[in-house]
Amino acid sequence: MKLKKADILKALENISAPGEGQNLVESGAVTNIQVFGDEVEVDVTIKNPSLQAKKKTEVEILKIIHKEVYEKAKIKVNLKVDAPAKPKVNQIKGSPIPGIQNIIAVASGKGGVGKSTVTANLAVTLAKMGFKVGLLDTDIYGPSMPIMFDVALEKPLSVNINGKSKMKPVENYGVKLLSIGFFTQPNQAVIWRGPMASKALNQMIFDAHWGELDFLLLDLPPGTGDIHLSIMQSLPVTGAVVVSTPQEIALADARKGVAMFQQEAISVPVLGIVENMAYFTPEELPSNKYHIFGKDGAKNLAENLEIPFLGEIPLVQSIREAGDVGRPAAMQTATPTEEAFEDLTKNVVQELVRRNTDLPPTEAIKITTMAGCAAVKKK
């Protein structure tokens, strides 16, 4: 028996398109019908991606053609799914901590590039500008912030907040600080697997009384591992700053650090790259610059990745000495070092303002002016 295309179309009008309120023909789901004697090939595209909807549609097509057109027809159904793509939104992940407006992760793909030094000086500079600042040392295996802030012998106190016992961060130089280093001995190694380290980190995040903060800085460990993923799952990270030195061996890992934040599953905006140890300036020749590790490496990387370049920090002996004695170098007033960290901090804040303007303001604040250091909730 020779079948007619018109008869098949009429029969298919009796089948509803899954979830659309129209029949297969009206909705445009039937894209093609080919007839060869008693053989029929039907091309159908539906928008419901579920296995149940696909199977149901295929069975109904077979049944209706056998019933309404020809019971011995040989039918082939080519069924495709064209589900509407979900709009990609810049979603802030994690559970917000009441009172904390912006969370900035400072990361590096590689150790030894001075990330903790940059984080400490960034925190101190923000505090000098009048912001309320907290710093969480998330490097479980190599915490350094207690030494850099001259509080290595301090211990967080326990405070009662709404009937619950919370840790009160140690404070110095206007920065509230928590680190695993407060809970271990100086010569004690932390030998924990990933889940144990992540649990300790969550305790320092959610069992702490941070109070009202404009910024919480996260000093991340090197690499792209358990701690980083735990942070992204636990906290609504507003943006990330990546630190690198100019040489290629450090830049290779900095690329990975940027790529981690740009992964679709993580999607944390990268505020920019900092070039640390950009050049060496001897104290007796302050105008001389010696590019020991190469020149403009991180700056060029930022351009290649199309992300902001936040600034360069020189390799100066006083920065290392300041970190060792627990008084961050940004506190050295009227020095090129202070100026370098101030420029960096202003650029970070500027990029944060831009990020908070471009993304939904759910977890963000708008910084209205650098002069007054005002931080107000974005309406």
Side-chain angles (χ1 to χ4, degrees), residues 138-141 180 183-184 188-205 226-227 230:
T138 72
D139 194 342
I140 298 295
Y141 305 107
I180 196 67
F183 307 99
T184 60
Q188 180 184 355
V190 177
I191 309 172
W192 290 342
R193 292 187 185 273
M196 188 70 176
S198 298
K199 183 178 179 181
L201 185 60
N202 276 332
Q203 285 183 311
M204 287 197 294
I205 294 171
D226 281 338
I227 298 299
S230 294

Side-chain angles (χ1 to χ4, degrees), residues 28 42 81 87 225 227 272 299 302 333:
V42 182
V81 174
I227 298 299
K299 185 176 183 179
T333 57

